[in-house]
Amino acid sequence: MLVDFKSLPNTSRVWIYQASRSFSEEELQELKQELDQFIEAWTAHGSELKAGYDLKYKRFITIGLDQEHAGASGCSIDASVHFIQALEKKYKMNLLDKMNVSYKQGDYIAYKPLADFKKMARQKAVSKNTIVFNNLVANKEEYLSHWEVPASESWHGRFM
């Protein structure tokens, strides 16, 4: 069951997928339709899942699931991963590689391999004040308060 992401409880589980490039406006319109269709049909052991999504900066797909309604099963998580893999192929981009870092450079969202980010930290090209995206947050409350933070407040801080 597709619901507005804003209506999901703060305890809802979230999965964040960062794109290796920005989606175009046309791609965003298609992506919204594909997310609507996927989430509307998403189930766990025959029970419909109450879920929504949030798209940020033309780069991030966040799927939220109200686990109080019904929790995700291994099969439903597999289905979501297969859906994201299909998006990767269709849009010719990376969405699942967790070894890349996204951070802000002014209004621009940069996307770098972790090794490059570490090197930039050693060279002081990024600092503890650089705004990073902590895609490891587990629930909607953390997403709203600790997803977009200075590197010092995230796991990224260990490289500063």
Side-chain angles (χ1 to χ4, degrees):
M1 157 188 355
L2 175 64
V3 298
D4 186 335
F5 185 85
K6 293 175 185 167
S7 73
L8 290 169
N10 282 345
T11 56
S12 296
R13 185 171 177 185
V14 295
W15 292 269
I16 302 169
Y17 304 98
Q18 66 182 359
S20 52
R21 64 167 175 81
S22 296
F23 287 97
S24 69
E25 288 301 327
E26 182 179 308
E27 288 173 333
L28 281 172
Q29 293 310 311
E30 289 177 19
L31 180 61
K32 288 175 186 176
Q33 291 175 354
E34 290 164 326
L35 282 160
D36 287 353
Q37 290 171 0
F38 171 74
I39 291 174
E40 196 59 52
W42 199 24
T43 61
H45 300 297
S47 297
E48 94 181 337
L49 296 173
K50 185 177 177 184
Y53 64 89
D54 192 26
L55 300 173
K56 293 270 187 150
Y57 302 112
K58 299 181 182 181
R59 275 201 179 246
F60 298 92
I61 302 169
T62 302
I63 297 176
L65 172 66
D66 181 354
Q67 295 192 116
E68 294 171 14
H69 178 78
S73 65
C75 292
S76 61
I77 292 171
D78 285 349
S80 68
V81 170
H82 291 300
F83 170 70
I84 297 296
Q85 288 172 327
L87 294 177
E88 284 184 315
K89 286 180 185 165
K90 178 178 180 178
Y91 296 107
K92 296 176 177 63
M93 66 170 52
N94 191 326
L95 290 163
L96 289 167
D97 191 343
K98 302 291 186 195
M99 294 306 293
N100 292 311
V101 176
S102 291
Y103 60 96
K104 280 188 171 178
Q105 284 187 317
D107 291 335
Y108 176 74
I109 306 297
Y111 177 88
K112 299 281 185 196
L114 182 57
D116 290 354
F117 185 81
K118 288 179 184 179
K119 185 177 177 182
M120 291 174 69
R122 283 192 304 274
Q123 296 171 343
K124 308 289 188 220
V126 292
S127 73
K128 63 182 181 175
N129 297 320
T130 299
I131 301 299
V132 296
F133 298 93
N134 179 7
N135 298 323
L136 300 179
V137 296
N139 60 46
K140 182 181 168 190
E141 182 175 3
E142 289 177 2
Y143 173 68
L144 295 175
S145 62
H146 290 38
W147 173 62
E148 188 175 337
V149 294
S152 63
E153 295 178 27
S154 176
W155 63 268
H156 304 83
R158 72 180 83 159
F159 306 121
M160 303 300 151

